[in-house]
Structures are given as structure tokens and as C-alpha cells.
Amino acid sequence: MKLKAVLALSVLPVLFTSQANAFTVGVLMPTQDEARWYREGFGIENELKNSGFNVELFFGGDIDVSLQQRQIKRLSNDSNIDALVIGSIDGNALADALTIAKSKKLPVISYDRLITGTDAVTYYATFDNGKVGEIQGKFLIDKLHPTVDDPKNIEIFYGSLDDNNAKFFYGEAMKILQPYIDSGALVIKSGEIKPEETNIPSWRTDLSSKRMDAIMDKVGYGPESGERLDGILSPADCISSGIIFTLKKRGYTVENIPVITGQDSTPDALKNIQEGYQAMTIFKDGKQLQDTVLDMVKAISKGQEANINDTTTYNNGVMDMKSFLCTPELIDRSNINKLL
Ligand code: BGC
């Protein structure tokens, strides 16, 4: 086939699917470098397009807050954009960038992570993030059976300080773990417990690996002659991967690796669970969240109120959020097959 004919054929479907007058949604995701956001960015794009909406999808580069602020301003100024869906990098740093959207009354859906300090947000579509932390905390207790007579050594990792979700994961997990820490049934030998001591900036895998190395050196944990390490509360798979990288490098095997939690069911985590390096993760059904966003966009495009199931859990510092919370699910070796 001649090049011209091929080009014409490849352009045609685009012309027919992108509808000139359709409601257009600007979708911003925090980064393309983490499995979850890459998958969900394209997932929302497909879902919205299949329902006849136009979509402009952007990723925040290498977790670049100022790039995301510029993207928000550009899309808000674009007269073709009818609504924004924003998965923030730093939820506390977008209030300024959203002033244009606010003055134009452009509907904004805060996606997964809460945008704080502004009333420019119309809806919040997320998971029950407290429940994630609760599942992780309970899992550690179930696996370790810590008692005062048989105490267990654990370490704690917090997510990124600029992410409101991290507070919920940690807060609910600690509600489960704290009584055991207070009684001495759980021991944190590094002495690092508070968010300021345990956080991993921007959820970066390399930084979680580095912190694990530092803790090993500080406490003297080791697979054979070193101090015993029984469990690690890790809020997310991207952090667990860094921890596991360090532990393997330090000689841990599936025989003696501590019980490590996670979240997101990333390909890396599923492999680590199958092989026995990671004990659990959380499945956050992207489809459920995308359907929620789609319902919200449909309602907004018709000038109707969207279906929500929560108005009391999240307050962004300015208002109680009209939220829809999706359900997180525990995944371990016993049920991992459903995701493979
Ligand atoms: C999300 C988690 C994710 C983490 C790191 C959080 O805001 O809720 O699912 O693991 O960010 O990207």
C-alpha cells in the first residue's frame, strides 16, 4: 500500500472518535514512572473515550510538582476543557495553580490523592485509605503473633509527607500496632517511629532502599549473626521494592526475610509475593476508581450531582469533601491467582 493511503487509513479512526463538540476532560497523573499511575492514566483515558468524552492526558514527568502546576494552569486556560481530573504529586501545592479553574467554575475531581487548601475541588474519588492501613497493620499482627513473652522486632516506613493518603495509611496501621509497641510485644530497634523519622520523600524506591540500608547499619540487623528483624510496615509496593532490594543485597532469602507489607499490586510486588519476598499487597481496583470518575464526569456534564458515598472522612483544610471511597482488598499468596 502506498504511504499516503496508509497515512489516510491511520488518521481516519482518530477523526471519527474524537468528537469536536464532546465534553473534554483534562486528566493529570502524578508520574508515568510508577506502575500504578501509568496504568490508571491510560485506563481513565480509555474509559472516558469509550463513553464519548474527549480526553487530554498528561503525566507529571519525574514527579515534577512545578510541571504539574503548569499543566493545570494551561488546561484551565484552555477554552476546550470542561473538567479536570487531577492525581496530584503534592496535594498541598496546587491551590494557587487552581485559582484559574476556580474563577472559571471548572469542575475539578481530586483523583486518589486529596488536593488541600482550596475550595476549587468539586469531588474526591479515592479508596478507603484508612482501611488500607488497617489491613496492613492487622496482617503484621496476624503473621507475627507478638506477645510480651515473645516480642517481635519491626521497622516502620511512612509514605511521602506531602501525600494526605500517607497519613491515613500510617494512622490506621498504627492504631493496630501501637498497643503492642506500648506493651513491649513489638519492638522498633531503630527508635524511628514518627512520620518525620520514617517518611520516604515522593515515595521513591531508591530512597526506601537507602533508608533500609541505614537502619541495618544503625541496629545491626542481619540474616544470620545479626539482630533478628521480623516485620516491616511498608505502606506501598514502590517502597517495599526498595526495602527488598536492600535485604536481598544484605543476604536475606525467602527463608528468613521479614514479613513485609505493601499496596498497589504492582507487577514487582506480585512477583515478590509469588517468590516469597513480600508477604502481602493491596489490590486497588483501578476499574472501580475509573468507573467512579466516569460517573462523576457524566453527572457533571449533565449538570447533575454525582453519586457519592462519604462526606465525613476527608476534609481538605477548607471543606468537607464530597467523596466516593472504593474498597481496597488484601492480596497474599492465598489469593494472588486472581490477579495473575
Ligand atoms: C496512593 C498509593 C500509592 C502511593 C505511591 C498514594 O497516594 O494512594 O496507592 O502507592 O501514593 O504512589
Side-chain angles (χ1 to χ4, degrees):
M1 212 186 290
K2 288 220 175 84
L3 182 61
K4 254 188 179 170
V6 173
L7 280 178
L9 278 182
S10 61
V11 164
L12 272 179
V14 177
L15 290 178
F16 283 125
T17 51
S18 139
Q19 303 167 25
N21 295 320
F23 194 89
T24 301
V25 187
V27 177
L28 296 104
M29 288 287 117
T31 176
Q32 62 280 10
D33 296 341
E34 258 185 57
R36 173 168 182 208
W37 306 113
Y38 182 83
R39 192 172 62 203
E40 290 185 29
F42 288 107
I44 303 180
E45 183 184 36
N46 279 338
E47 186 113 352
L48 289 170
K49 280 188 168 170
N50 288 341
S51 291
F53 294 102
N54 284 341
V55 177
E56 291 213 25
L57 170 65
F58 293 90
F59 289 94
D62 183 18
I63 319 184
D64 183 341
V65 177
S66 78
L67 172 66
Q68 189 169 65
Q69 289 165 335
R70 290 198 301 279
Q71 290 169 337
I72 291 175
K73 286 183 196 160
R74 199 176 75 60
L75 286 172
S76 306
N77 275 320
D78 182 340
S79 58
N80 291 319
I81 297 291
D82 298 297
L84 293 175
V85 175
I86 304 173
S88 57
I89 297 171
D90 178 347
N92 309 315
L94 300 186
D96 242 29
L98 281 168
T99 48
I100 307 161
K102 190 181 157 186
S103 67
K104 291 174 75 179
K105 296 201 167 40
L106 199 63
V108 174
I109 299 172
S110 188
Y111 184 84
D112 191 75
R113 296 175 174 170
L114 185 59
I115 297 172
T116 59
T118 172
D119 61 358
V121 182
T122 320
Y123 293 114
Y124 183 30
T126 190
F127 284 87
D128 185 341
N129 294 302
K131 187 81 193 163
V132 171
E134 184 190 317
I135 295 173
Q136 292 169 334
K138 279 193 176 146
F139 186 89
L140 278 182
I141 298 300
D142 283 354
K143 294 293 161 193
L144 299 179
H145 302 295
T147 62
V148 179
D149 296 332
D150 183 17
K152 299 289 157 61
N153 295 336
I154 64 162
E155 291 295 337
I156 287 171
F157 282 67
Y158 186 98
S160 190
L161 283 176
D162 55 13
D163 186 336
N164 190 62
N165 288 348
K167 234 186 279 173
F168 282 77
F169 304 147
Y170 174 87
E172 292 306 309
M174 289 307 279
K175 271 191 199 156
I176 307 284
L177 302 181
Q178 194 66 51
Y180 294 87
I181 297 171
D182 292 344
S183 72
L186 282 177
V187 182
I188 299 165
K189 296 239 161 187
S190 70
E192 298 172 13
I193 303 180
K194 296 187 200 126
E196 310 87 75
E197 300 163 324
T198 55
N199 73 89
I200 301 298
S202 300
W203 302 90
R204 275 173 48 186
T205 303
D206 58 326
L207 298 182
S208 68
S209 164
K210 212 166 146 196
R211 176 163 184 255
M212 193 67 235
D213 257 321
I215 293 175
M216 306 280 298
D217 292 340
K218 181 175 181 183
V219 179
Y221 289 123
E224 272 143 32
S225 54
E227 191 75 62
R228 207 186 66 227
L229 177 56
D230 301 300
I232 298 178
L233 175 71
S234 165
D237 294 340
C238 50
I239 289 179
S240 318
S241 292
I243 294 171
I244 291 168
F245 176 83
T246 293
L247 292 179
K248 278 174 150 178
K249 191 182 70 186
R250 298 273 188 145
Y252 283 88
T253 65
V254 290
E255 307 302 329
N256 50 28
I257 196 140
V259 176
I260 301 170
T261 61
Q263 152 177 220
D264 285 341
S265 300
T266 62
D268 230 28
L270 296 182
K271 184 165 172 280
N272 280 333
I273 291 175
Q274 277 180 299
E275 291 175 358
Y277 289 104
Q278 187 169 324
M280 62 79 77
T281 185
I282 301 276
F283 177 53
K284 293 168 104 174
D285 186 355
K287 178 81 173 72
Q288 204 191 351
L289 191 54
Q290 285 148 31
D291 285 345
T292 302
V293 169
L294 176 63
D295 282 350
M296 286 176 174
V297 170
K298 277 184 180 163
I300 289 169
S301 71
K302 291 183 199 149
Q304 296 169 353
E305 280 292 310
N307 181 27
I308 52 170
N309 64 5
D310 184 277
T311 53
T312 53
T313 306
Y314 295 96
N315 180 292
N316 79 341
V318 175
M319 58 184 184
D320 288 333
M321 300 307 305
K322 292 185 203 168
S323 314
F324 193 98
L325 312 189
C326 301
T327 313
E329 192 186 334
L330 166 63
I331 298 292
D332 63 7
R333 275 186 114 157
S334 69
N335 63 353
I336 194 171
N337 275 338
K338 65 200 269 188
L339 297 187
L340 300 175

